[in-house]
Amino acid sequence: ETGVTQSPTHLIKTRGQQVTLRCSSQSGHNTVSWYQQALGQGPQFIFQYYREEENGRGNFPPRFSGLQFPNYSSELNVNALELDDSALYLCASSIPPGTGNTEAFFGQGTRLTVV
Amino acid sequence: EDQVTQSPEALRLQEGESSSLNCSYTVSGLRGLFWYRQDPGKGPEFLFTLYSAGEEKEKERLKATLTKKESFLHITAPKPEDSATYLCASLGSARQLTFGSGTQLTVLP
C-alpha cells in the first residue's frame, strides 16, 4: 500500500456538471501529478503540481484544472463534464523533479462515470 | 513527442510457463523507464525503475532489463497471482510519465 489516498473512490455525474477529485500525497512527497485512464488504455498525463504551482501539463483542455495546498494535497476539477470524461482518475506523488529519485507512487484512483 | 509501445496486448500462460513482455520507447532525454503492475479497478503498483542501458533489476519472479530502445519484463515460472496488467512508462526531459497501453497477463493454474 502506498501512502497516496484519493477520494471519492467512485462518482457518477451528469453531463455538463462539475466535479472535484481529491488526493493526499505520500509523506515527504511534495510533487503531485494527475492522470486519466480510459478503459483498456494506459494512463494519460493531465498535469503536475509542485510548490502549489502547475509544473507541466498534458494535452487536456482548460476545463481540467487543479490546485495544490500547502500540505501538498491536491484537487482536480473538471468543468462542463462530457461523456468521454468517464475514466479512472489517478493521482501520483513523488519527490521534486531533478532530485534524482524519480519513482512516482499512485493512489487507488477515482472511477468517474458521466451519464 | 515521447512514445511507448507495449506488446503483446494480451498474454495467456500456463502456470510455470516463463515468458517476456516487451516495451519499445522513444523518448527525449530518458530520465527513467518504469514498470508498474495494475490490478482491475486499482491504481498502478510500482515495480521497477531502470535508468541506463544494460541495467537489470529483479523482484521475486520478475526481472526487468533495459536497452537503448526497449525494455523487457521477464516472468519466470509465473503463478496465477501474477495475473494483472503490466504497464511500462518512460520519464523524459518533459518530466512527465508517458505510458504504454499495457500487457494484460493471465496465468492459468
Side-chain angles (χ1 to χ4, degrees):
Chain A
E1 289 266 336
T2 71
V4 182
T5 58
Q6 294 186 240
S7 62
T9 55
H10 297 84
L11 201 53
I12 299 175
K13 288 286 190 177
T14 303
R15 188 172 51 182
Q17 286 188 315
Q18 178 264 342
V19 69
T20 297
L21 310 182
R22 295 178 175 84
C23 172
S24 295
S25 63
Q26 184 163 309
S27 177
H29 287 186
N30 58 9
T31 301
V32 174
S33 303
W34 286 91
Y35 292 80
Q36 179 195 68
Q37 187 176 25
L39 205 58
Q41 299 297 314
Q44 298 290 314
F45 176 73
I46 303 175
F47 44 56
Q48 181 181 87
Y49 277 83
Y50 170 58
R51 289 185 173 179
E52 301 177 51
E53 293 194 359
E54 189 178 288
N55 184 40
R57 188 178 184 93
N59 189 25
F60 280 81
R63 59 190 185 84
F64 286 78
S65 63
L67 284 173
Q68 188 180 31
F69 300 98
N71 66 355
Y72 309 139
S73 65
S74 178
E75 288 183 353
L76 164 65
N77 299 290
V78 187
N79 293 322
L81 284 167
E82 302 177 358
L83 297 179
D84 285 349
D85 295 334
S86 296
L88 181 68
Y89 287 85
L90 297 163
C91 169
S93 76
S94 58
I95 62 175
T99 54
N101 187 340
T102 54
E103 282 88 355
F105 296 92
F106 285 82
Q108 80 281 12
T110 293
R111 171 67 65 188
L112 173 64
T113 303
V114 182
V115 298
Chain B
E1 184 178 326
D2 298 349
Q3 290 190 341
V4 175
T5 303
Q6 292 187 246
S7 62
E9 291 184 4
L11 182 62
R12 291 166 69 90
L13 299 173
Q14 290 295 135
E15 185 172 2
E17 180 186 2
S18 302
S19 188
S20 296
L21 313 183
N22 176 265
C23 171
S24 297
Y25 65 93
T26 304
V27 61
S28 173
L30 182 70
R31 298 167 58 83
L33 190 291
F34 299 79
W35 284 96
Y36 287 87
R37 169 192 171 128
Q38 187 174 30
D39 292 303
K42 301 287 183 64
E45 174 191 347
F46 172 77
L47 293 174
F48 303 109
T49 310
L50 302 167
Y51 293 101
S52 58
E55 189 174 1
E56 299 183 353
K57 288 190 177 176
E58 290 189 61
K59 179 181 179 181
E60 296 181 354
R61 295 177 292 282
L62 301 176
K63 183 170 80 171
T65 62
L66 182 66
T67 73
K68 288 186 177 178
K69 294 183 179 180
E70 294 177 303
S71 180
F72 295 91
L73 185 65
H74 308 277
I75 303 176
T76 302
K79 298 181 178 181
E81 53 262 42
D82 295 323
S83 297
T85 295
Y86 290 86
L87 294 165
C88 170
S90 67
L91 181 67
S93 55
R95 295 178 174 173
Q96 65 191 54
L97 289 174
T98 299
F99 281 86
S101 295
T103 294
Q104 186 175 4
L105 175 66
T106 304
V107 182
L108 303 172

